[in-house]
Amino acid sequence: MKRLLLLTFILGLFFTAQAQFPGGFGGGPKKSTVTGRITATILDSLTKKPIDYATVSLVTAKDNKSVNGGVTDEKGKLSLQNVSPDSYKLMIGFMGYKTKSVLVTTTPAKPDNNIGTIYISGSENTLADVQIEGTKAVIENKIDRMVYNAEADGTNAGGDATDVMRKVPMLSVDPTGNIQLRGAAVRVLINGKPSGTMASSVADALKMIPAEQIKSVEVITSPSAKYDAEGSGGIINIITKKSSAQGVSGSVSAAAGTRQNNGAFNLTAKTGRLSVNTSLGTNLAYAQDSRTSFVTNTIFKDGTTDNRVQNGVSKWSRNGYNGSLGLDYDFNAYNNISTTVKLNNFSNGGPGSSEYTINNLKATNISDMDMTFSNMDWNVDYRKTSKKEGEEFSISAQLSTGRTPTSFSNTFIPDGAITGQTLTSNNTGKNNEYTAQTDYTYPFSKAVVLEVGAKGIFRDIKSQFDVSAQDFEYNQNVGAGYGVISFNLTKKLQVKGGLRAEYTQIDFNTQSSGIQKNDYFNLFPSVIVSRTLKGSTTLKLSYNRRVQRPTQSYLNPFRNTSDLFNVQQGNPQLSPELSDNLELGYSTFIKGSVINASVFYRRTGGVIESSISPIQELNPTTNQLVDKTLTSYINVGTAETYGFNLFASYNIKPKWTLMTNFAGNTYSVTNTQTNINTGTYFNFNWFIRSAYGFGKGYNFELFNVITSKRRTYQGSTDPFYIYGGSIKKDILKKKGSIGLNVLNPFTKDLHIKTVNNAINATGTIYQSANIYYPLRSFGVNFSYSFGKLKFTEKKKIKNDDVKQDQQQQGGGMGGVQQ
């Protein structure tokens, strides 16, 4: 019933906005009821060959006012969209040719006009072709975010999204692929939208995406109330490659290496009002030996002890693929509909073996493990604009379905025995998510803009066990509404403030307590004040409140005993994290140098961390208690964090760029109920990059990432570093490139040591874990872009709101739609 009421509320807003739209809040100008397009083919009058990149301008016949324009493609074809019925002159010009004028008329009854072939003749004086080249900056600073342009960084070739994230300013990535922003959890979006794949496991979802498919990564530290409140530290928005130009264009890339192989294909076909785009990607990692070493010492309350030493090797492979198909259609200048289907599949696992010494008794365990993640996201979006610049209404719907089957087997063989006890188990996790959303933006003036909207999210998580008295089901429904207003206090002082309200309804079942409920209501205010100083210098002060809800992997109570003595299990009793964030930022451009600095304070309640504890379980075969270690998740307390970020880029020479980012934050957790105070520690992440262009299409890059020791409330993880380089050569008239890349060439494995100490009612436990990830790799990569692009300017509708915000520069306060 609550779902129905919430959906009715959202749809009610839709129809209300529709009813108000003709006049808007301020009685805006009357809109044209229909628009059309003008098409033609431009040829050389002498050779009859097409004239590509000819400039065309559409002006009104009565007053010669320019209303539209574009350029021709490689076949000389022209298509001008969103043309209102009227009488026009089509002005055609090109270097070395005489300018030609053609009269054109469109009517409401016939808004489209195909002129046919137009011949233009050459002039006496001709000019040589002029080619303009530009290089996109790897890092761009904007008012509420930092953008890392992955496609401009040659060292990414051959990797996956995890490798890309390690080089994004302000982010820290642990060896397993989990991401933090300024020491806190983040919300990860794909093209401005949530993905069901991320809901299952962010670390595994990132391994599915080849680096070659990523256009850029936006790090949003100060999200406005328009965004979902999810993500204690902020939002990461991954933009994939997609063309919005007329014609057929695409790219293909491939990489082969000693660690993994990647491939990616992107294709866009746009003609008139219809655009079709598709992409395919694959990631195939070789099965390599990953070594682990555990030392666990437990002292139980009754005085007994348990000492275990475990040395193991697993030979896991990793295979993944993803694909998407999107359609985009402009009904006219003011109405657009688009839909996209994305599929992801990822498998990870393989055989392994471990040698145990348990209280001086030896044993062997033979294991096999398989984990699969599959997901589908289907989006449908409708957008309506008007002649009033900036006014926009949209309604969106998304369906996400995910499956995460996991199976394992263990054969435990005591020393001297020929056969052993075999344990098998499997679990299928299912995550279904339904989302409905509506947004409306109304500009009272160029300086004052109002944004309102509502959203409903309905999540259903199920965990089905092969042996269980009761499967697990977790339902989470979120209803949200927001309002945001942007205005200028002065010419140099901008303000953007808003409030988001979210009601969360949760119910789940447990074997011990049956059906349980956990409903809560939260308000999430946000405000950004930006001051423009002299030159290109900006000062920003922001505040926002955020929430971090536990993901499926944190909640799933399935007991993963793929390691017999180190059991993993989720915790459905987890509460969400709530954080308040305050940030002061400064950015400037000085003679080719970019400097961006910020300091922040964050207070987070109910911090979620992994936790180990000693347990004793009965072995049904021997009817004896077995000492084990349980790893789960708990709310550890309240954290107060102080931190900073410093980014700098400097061009030593026109073709030589140095770049660095240094981020640091304190770690301190206090729990008044358990009297735990970890003390205060300092964490940092340091990234350095050097890029040099030798000319003739050669580019050379080096990078290094250093991560400090990381604290948790139970222990710490040792520091580690990652380094690499690449050399790339432009080929095929700069439409393609071929390169070599290397990662950690002098270090075979990435060695991570974690030490934890814990005390509970059962006893005291100490555990030292050494994990050796095979990271060293050498590879070769190739990429090629095809198709000539015809860029046209759309007067009214903008199909890709994410792309619009990417192109905004420092003075704007816009954000991608959530």
Side-chain angles (χ1 to χ4, degrees), residues 38-40 53 70-74 76-81 244-247 270 788-792:
I38 294 175
T39 56
Y53 293 98
V71 294
T72 57
D73 62 14
E74 72 276 6
K77 293 185 179 298
L78 167 76
S79 180
L80 301 181
Q81 306 292 319
S244 60
Q246 289 280 347
K270 185 172 179 65
K788 281 192 176 181
L789 305 182
K790 171 189 169 186
F791 298 97
T792 60

Side-chain angles (χ1 to χ4, degrees), residues 316-357:
W316 285 15
S317 60
R318 189 175 70 241
N319 303 313
Y321 66 85
N322 65 77
S324 68
L325 176 64
L327 301 175
D328 190 290
Y329 184 72
D330 295 336
F331 293 101
N332 51 40
Y334 311 112
N335 294 275
N336 167 270
I337 190 169
S338 61
T339 182
T340 303
V341 177
K342 294 184 291 185
L343 300 173
N344 293 280
N345 185 273
F346 175 75
S347 61
N348 191 17
S353 64
S354 296
E355 300 295 330
Y356 288 91
T357 301

Side-chain angles (χ1 to χ4, degrees), residues 460-503:
D460 182 17
I461 298 173
K462 294 181 179 180
S463 182
Q464 298 177 333
F465 307 104
D466 59 341
V467 179
S468 176
Q470 182 184 30
D471 292 337
F472 173 69
E473 184 168 2
Y474 186 96
N475 296 301
Q476 181 189 92
N477 303 320
V478 181
Y482 74 87
V484 178
I485 189 165
S486 307
F487 57 93
N488 295 342
L489 284 177
T490 66
K491 289 183 178 180
K492 295 184 176 182
L493 190 62
Q494 298 175 299
V495 179
K496 184 173 186 174
L499 181 66
R500 187 180 187 90
E502 290 190 357
Y503 176 77

